[in-house]
């Protein structure tokens, strides 16, 4: 515990805060206070990937593939279920509502035409776009969506800590839905070169002092090679439980590619970080199935799946891997009630595709309700 707090102090004392931190804190404080007054549940949804800059004046950086689909989609469903949402996302990643018409294989302009000097939405798209616009307009009118952005791992961690501490007065009505793809490694500020790393060794600049006492630059050229020496990002996730917002409910994600270790890794993360729910998902089936591992349910696993005839399209999806990580179902395969095929055929064919987040969020809301009730029951009753 003491080591974790020291790691937190060291990190935030050495890594400078983002330039927009003060503005973000001001916006978040007002947003949280307003919804606390209305006794509304507030969820912080983190979304998209974090970058790891290799230079102080950043030209090169390490990134990941996340476009923020899970976070943006989940935020919409939280809003549908009455939550106020602080959406902390990677700049230029997907946003709630506009996600339907961005990062698509078609430009959103293809949905429109010029008709006598007016912009008109094509008839075939009007109903869908109208529905999305009405949902967005209502949320905006009610002031239930606050959008904040980050780019680097350091910006993300500063924003997460400050917003989490602001949410502390919400008690059990606060939720943290940590869907961002957070970097595991980074370049500390004191080991970062100031200028662009040169590919030509004649122009390469070392970060070492003349007496060799300063640490070598974490990213540097050696001969014709680029050498990158990263350090692990301190694990602050447990600090959400222990210090930043100890009464809030915390949902985190575990993404794996190996079906044989998914559930095991999810349970390990649950024990290590003391969160309330870890959602495990495989890279190649994440749009169709997830597994809940929750300490509220005694560390048991609960699978949520979209039936085969209701799945959204996925270029990276591998249908044959659906169920491959569900070891408990394989052991109980002789029981008809556990059959995945029965669930799939229970849904009429020809029905519209189902986003798995539409199944995830109601299940989380029910868990949140149970958590609030349990927390209320544990609180001492006033005498007299």
């Amino acid at each position: 515990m003491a080591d974790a707090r020291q790691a937190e102090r060291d990190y935030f004392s050495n890594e400078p805060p983002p330039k927009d931190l003060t503005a973000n804190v001001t916006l978040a404080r007002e947003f949280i206070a307003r919804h606390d007054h209305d006794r509304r549940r507030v969820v912080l949804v983190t979304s998209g990937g974090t970058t790891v800059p290799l230079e102080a004046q950043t030209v090169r950086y390490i990134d990941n593939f996340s476009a923020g689909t899970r976070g943006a989609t989940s935020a919409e469903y939280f809003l549908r279920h009455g939550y106020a949402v602080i959406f902390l996302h990677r700049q230029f990643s997907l946003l709630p509502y506009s996600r339907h018409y961005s990062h698509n294989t078609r430009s959103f302009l293809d949905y429109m035409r010029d008709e006598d000097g007016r912009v008109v939405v094509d008839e075939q798209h009007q109903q869908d776009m109208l529905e999305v616009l009405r949902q967005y307009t209502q949320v905006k009118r009610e002031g239930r969506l606050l959008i904040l952005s980050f780019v680097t791992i350091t910006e993300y961690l500063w924003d997460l800590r400050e917003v989490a501490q602001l949410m502390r007065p919400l008690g059990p009505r606060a939720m943290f839905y940590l869907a961002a793809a957070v970097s595991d490694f980074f370049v500390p500020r004191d080991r970062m070169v100031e200028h662009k790393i040169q590919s030509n060794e004649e122009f390469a600049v070392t970060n070492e002092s003349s007496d060799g006492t300063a640490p070598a630059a974490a990213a540097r050229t050696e001969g014709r090679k680029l050498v990158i020496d990263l350090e692990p990002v301190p694990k602050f996730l447990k600090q959400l439980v222990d210090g930043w917002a100890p009464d809030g409910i915390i949902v985190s994600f575990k993404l794996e590619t190996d079906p044989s270790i998914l559930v095991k890794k999810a349970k390990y993360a649950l024990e290590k970080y003391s969160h309330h729910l870890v959602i495990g998902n495989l890279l190649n089936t994440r749009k169709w199935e997830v597994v809940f591992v929750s300490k509220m349910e005694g560390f048991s696993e609960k699978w949520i799946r979209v039936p085969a005839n209701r799945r959204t399209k996925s270029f990276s999806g591998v249908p044959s891997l659906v169920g491959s990580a569900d070891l408990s179902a394989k052991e109980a395969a002789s029981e008809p009630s556990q059959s995945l095929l029965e669930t799939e055929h229970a849904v009429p064919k020809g029905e519209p595709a189902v986003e798995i987040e539409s199944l995830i969020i109601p299940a989380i809301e029910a868990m949140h309700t149970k958590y609030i009730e349990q927390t209320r029951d544990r609180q001492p009753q006033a005498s007299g």
Side-chain angles (χ1 to χ4, degrees):
M1 179 71 69
D3 290 344
R5 284 196 293 266
Q6 185 60 49
E8 177 189 352
R9 286 193 292 267
D10 290 345
Y11 183 89
F12 289 108
S13 63
N14 293 327
E15 303 303 317
K19 294 179 180 179
D20 60 355
L21 182 66
T22 300
N24 285 349
V25 167
T26 299
L27 291 170
R29 180 182 291 109
E30 186 278 331
F31 183 88
I32 293 166
R34 175 157 43 87
H35 291 292
D36 185 23
H37 179 269
D38 295 336
R39 308 297 294 172
R40 190 186 298 276
R41 299 180 188 182
V42 179
V43 57
L44 170 64
V45 176
T46 68
S47 183
T50 60
T51 69
V52 177
L54 301 182
E55 307 120 339
Q57 297 188 51
T58 306
V59 174
R60 295 184 173 92
Y61 56 86
I62 300 172
D63 203 355
N64 62 55
F65 74 93
S66 177
T69 304
R70 177 82 80 202
T73 308
S74 298
E76 278 189 33
Y77 287 104
F78 274 120
L79 289 163
R80 289 190 189 186
H81 285 262
Y83 283 79
V85 174
I86 300 175
F87 188 68
L88 179 60
H89 78 296
R90 163 74 176 275
Q91 189 178 47
F92 305 128
S93 66
L94 292 176
L95 292 171
Y97 305 110
S98 66
R99 71 181 176 90
H100 297 275
Y101 305 102
S102 58
H103 286 234
N104 205 320
T105 53
R106 296 180 61 188
S107 167
F108 78 99
L109 296 173
D110 291 332
Y111 294 82
M112 307 172 189
R113 67 178 187 275
D114 180 346
E115 189 175 279
D116 298 327
R118 296 182 302 116
V119 177
V120 178
V121 177
D122 288 341
E123 188 67 32
Q124 64 185 30
H125 302 297
Q126 278 198 11
Q127 190 57 46
D128 289 341
M129 291 190 79
L130 179 62
E131 179 62 26
V132 171
L133 177 61
R134 283 175 172 170
Q135 291 178 24
Y136 172 71
T137 301
Q138 179 179 350
V139 165
K140 187 176 179 180
R141 183 172 57 248
E142 295 171 350
R144 289 195 293 118
L145 176 62
L146 174 63
I147 296 177
L148 307 175
S149 67
F150 63 84
V151 175
T152 70
I153 174 63
T154 297
E155 291 173 352
Y156 169 80
L157 291 173
W158 268 101
D159 285 326
L160 177 63
R161 184 179 74 155
E162 297 304 308
V163 174
Q165 290 174 342
L166 290 174
M167 292 176 66
R168 186 168 186 162
L170 296 170
R173 285 183 289 111
M175 180 188 293
F176 301 89
Y177 185 84
L178 306 177
V182 182
S183 307
D184 292 317
F185 301 92
F186 80 118
V187 177
R189 185 66 180 84
D190 61 2
R191 296 190 60 209
M192 190 179 294
V193 295
E194 178 66 22
H195 299 290
K196 174 188 172 184
I197 300 168
Q198 297 298 318
S199 57
N200 189 325
E201 59 185 301
E202 293 182 15
F203 295 93
V205 177
T206 180
N207 198 42
E208 295 183 14
S209 60
S210 58
D211 61 2
T213 57
R220 60 194 182 274
T221 53
E222 292 184 1
R224 300 180 63 184
K225 296 181 179 179
L226 173 63
V227 178
I228 302 176
D229 181 18
L230 303 177
E231 296 187 14
V233 174
K235 299 299 184 182
F236 296 132
L237 290 181
K238 198 171 188 304
Q239 290 298 93
L240 278 171
V241 178
D242 296 333
W244 299 350
D247 296 323
I249 186 169
I250 303 173
V251 180
S252 56
F253 285 79
K254 174 57 66 174
L255 175 71
E256 294 293 339
T257 59
D258 183 351
S260 67
I261 64 172
L262 176 64
V263 174
K264 185 183 298 184
K265 290 291 291 290
K267 290 181 177 180
Y268 174 80
L270 188 69
E271 292 186 38
K272 182 175 183 179
Y273 299 118
S274 300
H275 292 176
H276 302 87
L277 170 65
V278 173
I279 301 178
N281 49 164
L282 281 178
L283 177 65
N284 291 320
T285 63
R286 67 190 187 282
K287 294 184 183 296
W288 306 324
E289 68 172 356
V290 298
V291 60
F292 279 21
V293 180
S294 169
K295 66 180 182 181
M296 295 176 63
E297 303 297 333
F299 286 79
S300 62
E301 59 188 90
K302 172 185 176 183
W303 284 89
I304 294 180
R305 292 190 178 93
V306 177
N309 59 321
R310 302 289 297 278
R311 293 175 189 160
T312 56
K313 294 180 180 179
S314 172
F315 291 110
S316 62
V318 181
S320 62
L321 287 178
V322 172
S324 61
D326 190 355
L327 304 180
S328 62
K330 292 179 181 178
E331 295 172 356
S334 59
E335 301 179 24
S337 61
Q338 298 294 324
S339 172
L340 176 60
L341 292 178
E342 280 193 7
T343 305
E344 292 175 346
H345 293 305
V347 181
K349 292 184 177 181
E351 293 293 322
V354 169
E355 294 177 314
I356 193 168
E357 291 80 8
S358 70
L359 307 178
I360 292 173
I361 303 310
I364 291 177
E365 182 191 22
M367 182 177 293
H368 194 187
T369 298
K370 181 179 179 181
Y371 174 76
I372 291 173
E373 292 173 349
Q374 290 177 345
T375 304
R376 185 186 304 123
D377 292 341
R378 288 197 300 267
Q379 292 177 342
Q381 301 295 318
S383 60

